[in-house]
Amino acid sequence: MSPSAVPASTANGQFENDLNLSLVGLGVEYPPFLVGPEALETLANRFYPPSTALKKVLSINRFTGIETRAAIGDVDHPLVNQPNAPSIKELNEIFRQEGVRLSVNACKKAIKEWGGSVDDITHLVSTTCTNSANPGFDHFVVKQLGISSSVEKILLHGIGCSGGMAAMRTAAHLALGSSYQGKPARILVLACEISSLLVRSELDSIDQDQQTRVGVCLFSDCASAAVLSNGVGEDEGSGPVYELLGWKHQIIDDTEDDLGFDVDPLGWKVVLTPRVPALASAAVSPCFHDLVKSIPELQKDSQPPIAADFDWALHPGGSLIITGVEQAMDLTPEHLRASYEIYMKYGNSSSATIISVLNRLRESEGKERVIACAFGPGIALEMMVLRRQKKASSSANGSEENEVNGNSYHDGSAMHNGAASVNGAAQVNGNGISTQSISSQYEQLATNGAAIETALLSADGAAVNGIPEVNGSARADGANGSASSLPVEDLD
């Protein structure tokens, strides 16, 4: 890219034909435990008396469509079995240990696929919404990776589930600036979240305030990373994973009270309203059309492309988000297959999820171009158009350790000494989501959402329209391997 071309890439709302920006390596690291819906019920029964709000939340928990969620520990993890919810000091200490470990491993995978040296990393753009200590967790990741302490670091905060895409957008702008100066940019993008240990704080609010809080049913732990290159001075390698064609960021007006993640003495508390799924779904179409118009490559044909001409890497914040966008954009579950798969097997890992979805998407055949999309507090909408180039290689995203969907894990965590299965927390073993085919699962998710939503709006946890009352023994489809949908209190 010539220096004179760079200012025009964003100044008039149009992108150049060749930004020469690409993701050249991806890495995803989930922790070693997958907890099923029964784990939440176990903790609720251990520490909280029955109540209307808790009964409703546990009913919702069985019908989210999530079969398992990735977590740093099982249901017997010490921090969630104390008399009181863990303090923010305790949460910070475990993030510094487990969050940094996950982050380093994810970064190593991305760097390995790229094939370059840590000495060539020019920037690090990181994000998290589950830690706010200073120096940030990125400081410790840099030290453990052996990256120069003078590397330019940016740590993004306050952007929640849209953080992974916001970090990629920020990295793209930094890379364009380096291109203008004729300098190489090899930018490490990192997102890490540990949400599982907030379970007791959320259950406290459900018990004390009698609030129906569904974040406790959705969130999970993960770190993901990518290397973004501007191509300057780059040797011919195996080629990019994805090329970046353009991106868009916007705020949905007057929605800052609808979605958030507020600071609390015991960590953070999810803030959301029932308006979120509808607001998010309605915002996608105008954003998509504006973004497509801004990319000259997509205007070559007499008719601009429609949404169904792309594969979609949508942040799987909840099933109503996925199905809402699917319906609003006239897509099929196949367009969103990677989002459904990650959602059902690992849950919503906030900012770290989008790179995991992109990583999963490139492992299968599909359309050349991809729309990546995520929502965060604000409500913020992030969207990006990418061109797919190559599939994942087992050598890049695996190792001699246990492997699950291209992601390697140690045999248990430091706190759990390799326990294989404890009270509903199954250690990752490489099996698929379930014996039922993934296609039939996400088709069921796509069709059952409205009925589940209506039923749960009709009664507080009672047996309504086929939703069983939670009584400690009944097991809904979501805990047995078939998927259902999340009710109205869906997340970003």
Side-chain angles (χ1 to χ4, degrees), residues 17-50:
N17 268 323
D18 184 13
L19 296 176
N20 205 28
L21 301 179
S22 57
L23 300 178
V24 293
L26 302 180
V28 180
E29 183 80 352
Y30 284 101
F33 293 94
L34 293 178
V35 296
E38 66 277 7
L40 178 62
E41 186 172 331
T42 297
L43 286 174
N45 290 335
R46 280 181 185 173
F47 296 101
Y48 302 93

Side-chain angles (χ1 to χ4, degrees), residues 214 218 272-273 276-277 317-321 486-492:
V214 300
L218 299 177
L272 66 145
T273 72
V276 171
S319 64
L320 280 186
I321 293 290
L486 185 67
V488 67
E489 300 94 340
D490 215 331
L491 286 179
D492 60 311

Side-chain angles (χ1 to χ4, degrees), residues 270-319:
V270 175
V271 176
L272 66 145
T273 72
R275 303 198 313 156
V276 171
L279 287 168
S281 299
V284 172
S285 181
C287 183
F288 167 79
H289 290 294
D290 287 348
L291 179 54
V292 166
K293 290 177 183 177
S294 72
I295 300 174
E297 175 182 318
L298 303 181
Q299 306 302 312
K300 293 178 180 179
D301 298 331
S302 57
Q303 294 293 328
I306 61 173
D309 293 328
F310 301 81
D311 274 336
W312 282 67
L314 177 69
H315 170 73
S319 64

Side-chain angles (χ1 to χ4, degrees), residues 56-131:
K56 184 172 183 180
V57 169
L58 294 179
S59 292
I60 293 170
N61 178 59
R62 293 173 175 272
F63 282 86
T64 62
I66 298 172
E67 290 196 341
T68 50
R69 288 186 282 162
I72 62 169
D74 55 41
V75 74
D76 290 324
H77 191 291
L79 281 185
V80 298
N81 283 276
Q82 302 174 138
N84 300 307
S87 67
I88 196 167
K89 180 177 185 295
E90 290 172 313
L91 294 172
N92 178 62
E93 289 172 349
I94 199 71
F95 193 100
R96 285 282 175 88
Q97 176 186 339
E98 296 295 324
V100 170
R101 181 184 64 80
L102 292 174
S103 297
V104 168
N105 288 343
C107 289
K108 285 180 177 179
K109 292 177 183 178
I111 293 169
K112 181 178 181 179
E113 180 173 22
W114 161 45
S117 166
V118 294
D119 296 332
D120 296 325
I121 297 293
T122 58
H123 306 74
L124 173 62
V125 181
S126 307
T127 186
T128 184
C129 63
T130 51
N131 187 259

Side-chain angles (χ1 to χ4, degrees), residues 30 74 92 141 151 160 163 165 184 189 223 252 254 256-257 278 287 302 320-321 353 374 381 387 412 416 419 483:
Y30 284 101
D74 55 41
N92 178 62
V141 172
V151 68
M165 286 201 62
V189 177
I252 304 173
D254 301 319
E256 55 269 12
D257 294 330
C287 183
S302 57
L320 280 186
I321 293 290
T353 318
L381 169 58
R387 183 190 294 116
H416 301 285

Side-chain angles (χ1 to χ4, degrees), residues 25-251:
L26 302 180
V28 180
E29 183 80 352
Y30 284 101
F33 293 94
L34 293 178
V35 296
E38 66 277 7
L40 178 62
E41 186 172 331
T42 297
L43 286 174
N45 290 335
R46 280 181 185 173
F47 296 101
Y48 302 93
S51 69
T52 298
L54 183 58
K55 183 184 292 186
K56 184 172 183 180
V57 169
L58 294 179
S59 292
I60 293 170
N61 178 59
R62 293 173 175 272
F63 282 86
T64 62
I66 298 172
E67 290 196 341
T68 50
R69 288 186 282 162
I72 62 169
D74 55 41
V75 74
D76 290 324
H77 191 291
L79 281 185
V80 298
N81 283 276
Q82 302 174 138
N84 300 307
S87 67
I88 196 167
K89 180 177 185 295
E90 290 172 313
L91 294 172
N92 178 62
E93 289 172 349
I94 199 71
F95 193 100
R96 285 282 175 88
Q97 176 186 339
E98 296 295 324
V100 170
R101 181 184 64 80
L102 292 174
S103 297
V104 168
N105 288 343
C107 289
K108 285 180 177 179
K109 292 177 183 178
I111 293 169
K112 181 178 181 179
E113 180 173 22
W114 161 45
S117 166
V118 294
D119 296 332
D120 296 325
I121 297 293
T122 58
H123 306 74
L124 173 62
V125 181
S126 307
T127 186
T128 184
C129 63
T130 51
N131 187 259
S132 57
N134 297 284
F137 80 104
D138 57 335
H139 171 83
F140 302 97
V141 172
V142 164
K143 290 183 69 174
Q144 291 195 27
L145 288 173
I147 296 175
S148 169
S149 60
S150 62
V151 68
E152 296 186 34
K153 300 194 303 294
I154 297 174
L155 179 56
L156 304 178
H157 185 66
I159 48 181
C161 291
S162 62
M165 286 201 62
M168 288 192 288
R169 171 173 53 83
T170 301
H173 282 293
L174 289 170
L176 287 177
S178 294
S179 297
Y180 183 76
Q181 300 174 72
K183 296 180 178 179
R186 307 293 182 265
I187 304 174
L188 187 57
V189 177
L190 169 63
C192 179
E193 306 290 359
I194 294 183
S195 305
S196 61
L197 296 183
L198 300 176
V199 58
R200 289 291 306 280
S201 175
E202 289 287 344
L203 286 171
D204 280 354
S205 292
I206 294 167
D207 176 56
Q208 296 165 11
D209 303 329
Q210 287 298 290
Q211 297 176 342
T212 304
R213 305 181 63 85
V214 300
V216 73
C217 308
L218 299 177
F219 284 109
S220 57
D221 305 338
C222 179
S224 62
V227 177
L228 188 148
S229 170
N230 68 350
V232 175
E234 193 162 57
D235 296 331
E236 290 293 331
S238 58
V241 181
Y242 292 100
E243 293 180 24
L244 279 64
L245 304 183
W247 52 85
K248 185 174 177 64
H249 162 81
Q250 71 178 53
I251 297 292

